[in-house]
Amino acid sequence: MSDSNNDNNLIVEGKHADNERLKLESNYLRGTIVEDLADRITGGFTPDNYQLIRTHGMYQQDDRDIRAERQKQKLEPLHNVMLRARMPGGIIKPEQWLAIDKFADDYTSYGSIRLTTRQTFQFHGVLKPNIKLMHQTLNSIGIDSIATAGDVNRNVLCTSNPVESELHQEAYEWATKISEHLLPQTKAYAEIWLDAEKVETTEEPILGKSYLPRKFKTTVVVPPKNDIDVHANDMNFVAIAENGKLVGFNLLVGGGLAMTHGDKSTYPRKADDFGFLPLDKTLDVAAAVVTVQRDWGNRVNRKNAKTKYTLDRVGIDTFKAEVEKRAGVKFTESRPYEFTSRGDDFGWIEGFDGKHHLTLFVENGRLLDFLNKPLKTGVAEIAKVHKGDFRMTANQNLIIAGVDTADKAQIEKLARDHGLLDNISNQRLNSMACVAFPTCPLAMAEAERYLPGLVTDVETILKKHDVADDHVILRVTGCPNGCGRAMLAEIGLVGKGPGKYNMYLGGNQAGTRVPKLYQENVDETSILTIIDELVARWSNERNEGEAFGDFTIRAGIVAEVKVSKRDFHD
Ligand code: SRM
Ligand code: SF4
């Protein structure tokens, strides 16, 4: 990069973050993971490998509920790993499901399969001696966990709803192609976990030897559904169809939701519109956006390293022009489209191809055999007879897709018998939380374990004010990293400390507006008091059909966040 580029503020000068050193020294993501794996004195990994295993789809964790007790007993934390699979578009076959179901039973300490907000599943609590077996089991059924974490392009999302069968199929194929195109080229994963022969890596043409400055997230979305929440993502391909056939994409760049409490240089931000591109330029454009972020992203301060900050630093026009140059494309004006909703459509729907699809609500995505609700067994029983596939949604739910008319009754009975098809309120269907305690090391407050009770209380409040059939998009996230996407909710609760949350208001139903801080450090009782007061006002003062988030802005309860950098913290 020439000095004149630095004049334009394209590169952030200064001492690089330590993650840059370890990526560079890792010999293309190998590090000393193999040696670490053989060390059975500790259940954990050395600090460098602790970071590097992320690029292979794993995080080292320990159960925070028992951490203090083990410390008292002078025991090392009970180290284990969480694995996150790579599932572009979230599609998984019944036979694959049965294998992951069995692995969760046999080798994870929680015995659960956790559907995530990015259309895949996680195993929690896999001990070191079982890690290789886990990868080999997944490999035997055609699944890997390459690049589902770390400074790379993550699992590529795609709208789940298979109603518009052909268009969805095309979009899904693009999600898979983009995922493959942007994968690391290093064969470290196969070598370390699958005992494959060593193949020297000489180049990472797209990601580079130091990989990306920070995580990078991509979606392919089929409007009018914004079920994958584009504005949480660095790069989004919005499917544009003519006569039901995909002709190209509008490109949205620079979304992201994380922030740090007290650090005003961090903020959630919506993605910007770059314009329309023809289908045959998709992979070139994907690579160009990634390489511009690779070269211009901030490698000095990881808190300001994501694409959203690069765009705000160098300017949208400069970033876009560079993408056009590298991809050999000129974006034309974006084609018209509209997002109207984000939720999943629960129950049965029929696709244009005559197949039936059953969307099941899975609270917090946690598939486990709860008392009187054997959800995990239920999905496994369905997998034993199902001839289509499963689709994990970005709202932590599960679609039993491609069911023949003749098989509908049997699938429905299995779902009902296992508590997968109960009557669920609109409010619960539109509420979501991240994992948080006990497995997430970064959690400041409860989320997954707090949400179910909170929703019950909010249901009571809605009923009290005669809006029980309506709902508020309610999301809880255990810390400001925002994994539960509270920063695109109508009411977003962001963990601040045990039992304390910052409350944000003013997102909208389509997920195209970032909410704004309403009250800081509120406890669970005050949260209910505030929601009660606000819902009472909404019920009495709202315009016909006005959604809660829109009301909070019109009524002046919070100001609208139009441009995050300017408005979010003011
Ligand atoms: Fe996340 C880190 C869980 C979606 C932003 N996220 C984590 C870790 C791995 C904690 C850690 O670094 O040690 C959490 C593990 C918890 C556990 O025990 O499972 C975690 N994130 C999750 C999941 C499982 C939440 C869920 O309830 O489903 C989601 C897994 C997605 C996947 O399958 O890949 C998940 N994370 C998200 C999202 C939402 C999204 O992408 O749609 C976000 C906000 C969007 C964004 O990226 O801006 C998100 N997670 C983060 C961040 C902040 C990144 C940043 O820009 O600063 C971290 C922390 C970090 O990277 O330093 C993080
Ligand atoms: Fe953990 Fe925070 Fe993400 Fe929740 S938002 S899973 S607490 S990192």
Side-chain angles (χ1 to χ4, degrees):
M1 215 40 72
S2 72
D3 285 340
S4 61
N5 281 334
N6 286 351
D7 294 343
N8 291 336
N9 204 20
L10 300 184
I11 307 236
V12 177
E13 309 271 8
K15 186 174 179 302
H16 279 185
D18 192 48
N19 287 58
E20 295 303 315
R21 173 200 57 77
L22 73 94
K23 284 180 284 179
L24 201 62
E25 286 175 2
S26 73
N27 184 18
Y28 296 99
L29 308 181
R30 290 175 175 84
T32 53
I33 296 175
V34 170
E35 288 82 344
D36 240 3
L37 209 53
D39 178 359
R40 292 293 153 86
I41 291 171
T42 167
F45 289 84
T46 61
D48 278 10
N49 294 331
Y50 174 98
Q51 297 287 343
L52 278 178
I53 59 169
R54 295 182 174 193
T55 55
H56 302 254
M58 286 171 296
Y59 289 84
Q60 181 174 313
Q61 301 187 323
D62 68 289
D63 189 324
R64 294 180 64 180
D65 284 349
I66 58 167
R67 194 187 276 176
E69 186 52 39
R70 286 183 68 90
Q71 217 165 3
K72 240 196 269 164
Q73 294 176 17
K74 303 211 174 348
L75 293 169
E76 131 174 317
L78 189 55
H79 295 306
N80 57 62
V81 300
M82 172 269 273
L83 171 122
R84 184 183 286 164
R86 186 172 69 94
M87 302 250 100
I91 300 188
I92 180 165
K93 298 191 200 87
E95 57 275 22
Q96 293 174 316
W97 188 275
L98 288 172
I100 66 162
D101 181 79
K102 182 162 168 29
F103 188 88
D105 282 345
D106 294 348
Y107 295 105
T108 72
S109 30
Y110 299 89
S112 73
I113 296 172
R114 176 58 157 75
L115 307 180
T116 77
T117 51
R118 293 192 70 75
Q119 269 187 331
T120 184
F121 68 87
Q122 289 182 176
F123 290 137
H124 286 99
V126 179
L127 298 174
K128 206 180 200 181
N130 299 323
I131 297 178
K132 261 176 112 161
L133 174 71
M134 168 171 67
H135 290 289
Q136 291 175 0
T137 305
L138 291 177
N139 181 59
S140 72
I141 53 168
I143 297 177
D144 63 61
S145 63
I146 301 172
T148 54
D151 297 344
V152 286
N153 180 59
R154 305 278 185 98
N155 194 40
V156 177
L157 306 191
C158 179
T159 297
S160 314
N161 193 332
V163 181
E164 294 188 58
S165 323
E166 276 177 34
L167 189 56
H168 178 272
Q169 182 60 28
E170 280 186 274
Y172 166 69
E173 280 160 18
W174 277 107
T176 308
K177 277 189 245 180
I178 295 166
S179 170
E180 300 288 333
H181 194 60
L182 300 178
L183 272 188
Q185 295 300 300
T186 171
K187 299 291 175 266
Y189 179 89
E191 233 173 83
I192 298 170
W193 312 109
L194 310 177
D195 294 327
E197 218 169 284
K198 186 160 181 161
V199 182
E200 278 311 325
T201 315
T202 49
E203 207 192 358
E204 284 283 8
I206 295 179
L207 299 171
K209 198 168 182 195
S210 301
Y211 295 84
L212 302 181
R214 200 68 168 90
K215 56 171 67 168
F216 190 94
K217 297 182 171 177
T218 303
T219 75
V220 179
V221 62
V222 185
K225 274 252 169 248
N226 181 19
D227 61 338
I228 46 75
D229 256 332
V230 288
H231 293 293
N233 292 274
D234 299 67
M235 173 166 72
N236 303 277
F237 293 88
V238 183
I240 301 297
E242 279 171 11
N243 305 318
K245 282 293 290 170
L246 190 64
V247 293
F249 296 104
N250 290 342
L251 182 71
L252 301 177
V253 180
L257 304 183
M259 57 183 164
T260 302
H261 287 312
D263 179 348
K264 290 194 174 173
S265 76
T266 66
Y267 43 83
R269 181 192 193 278
K270 279 172 52 180
D272 287 301
D273 180 11
F274 272 32
F276 175 80
L277 60 120
L279 219 45
D280 63 346
K281 281 290 174 190
T282 307
L283 295 182
D284 292 339
V285 166
V289 175
V290 168
T291 62
V292 174
Q293 163 60 6
R294 176 197 70 195
D295 296 343
W296 293 356
N298 185 336
R299 290 184 187 261
V300 173
N301 180 357
R302 287 179 67 76
K303 289 206 181 303
N304 298 139
K306 285 205 77 186
T307 315
K308 58 181 176 176
Y309 301 116
T310 314
L311 274 179
D312 278 346
R313 178 168 46 81
V314 307
I316 298 163
D317 291 344
T318 307
F319 196 113
K320 181 174 149 184
E322 186 68 15
V323 171
E324 288 180 322
K325 192 169 103 192
R326 294 188 188 195
V329 69
K330 192 91 195 137
F331 293 112
T332 54
E333 198 179 320
S334 269
R335 302 281 176 92
Y337 71 96
E338 197 190 357
F339 290 131
T340 52
S341 68
R342 269 182 297 173
D344 296 328
D345 296 314
F346 294 93
W348 286 105
I349 45 162
E350 188 175 344
F352 290 163
D353 59 358
K355 296 271 189 191
H356 304 272
H357 314 289
L358 176 63
T359 304
L360 304 174
F361 171 70
V362 182
E363 190 154 45
N364 297 315
R366 184 69 69 180
L367 282 168
L368 185 64
D369 283 347
F370 298 98
L371 194 66
N372 302 325
K373 261 187 173 230
L375 304 184
K376 182 166 157 296
T377 298
V379 178
E381 289 301 314
I382 292 171
K384 285 180 191 162
V385 299
H386 181 40
K387 301 183 197 95
D389 54 41
F390 293 101
R391 290 159 197 229
M392 291 173 267
T393 81
N395 296 310
Q396 305 166 329
N397 296 311
L398 190 66
I399 303 178
I400 319 291
V403 178
D404 290 328
T405 308
D407 299 331
K408 265 182 82 179
Q410 184 191 23
I411 300 270
E412 180 165 333
K413 180 167 186 331
L414 283 171
R416 224 171 263 296
D417 288 351
H418 292 85
L420 286 156
L421 255 183
D422 288 348
N423 280 338
I424 310 282
S425 71
N426 265 341
Q427 183 52 53
R428 201 168 294 272
L429 297 175
N430 286 284
S431 303
M432 191 158 84
C434 72
V435 180
F437 287 94
T439 53
C440 179
L442 307 177
M444 297 173 174
E446 295 281 356
E448 181 178 323
R449 299 195 291 201
Y450 168 44
L451 187 77
L454 171 66
V455 173
T456 305
D457 291 335
V458 173
E459 285 168 344
T460 307
I461 291 171
L462 293 179
K463 202 161 164 201
K464 175 175 157 196
H465 298 294
D466 291 328
V467 283
D469 291 337
D470 229 311
H471 69 270
V472 175
I473 293 183
L474 170 67
R475 294 177 174 180
V476 183
T477 206
C479 82
N481 285 322
C483 306
R485 294 199 294 266
M487 284 302 97
L488 286 171
E490 293 181 289
I491 298 180
L493 298 174
V494 177
K496 193 87 201 285
K500 294 281 177 65
Y501 299 83
N502 283 359
M503 182 188 271
Y504 292 78
L505 301 176
N508 62 5
Q509 298 255 327
T512 55
R513 196 167 57 217
V514 165
K516 182 140 173 113
L517 182 64
Y518 178 62
Q519 283 210 22
E520 222 170 333
N521 237 355
V522 271
D523 63 23
E524 294 175 12
T525 311
S526 313
I527 286 169
L528 292 179
T529 309
I530 296 169
I531 294 178
D532 189 29
E533 284 165 11
L534 292 173
V535 170
R537 282 194 62 186
W538 176 46
S539 169
N540 288 326
E541 299 168 32
R542 73 168 166 170
N543 292 332
E544 176 82 26
E546 189 175 31
F548 179 83
D550 297 339
F551 169 74
T552 56
I553 288 175
R554 185 180 58 79
I557 295 164
V558 284
E560 180 175 354
V561 176
K562 289 187 176 144
V563 178
S564 286
K565 190 174 183 207
R566 183 192 66 200
D567 305 337
F568 186 72
H569 291 294
D570 73 350

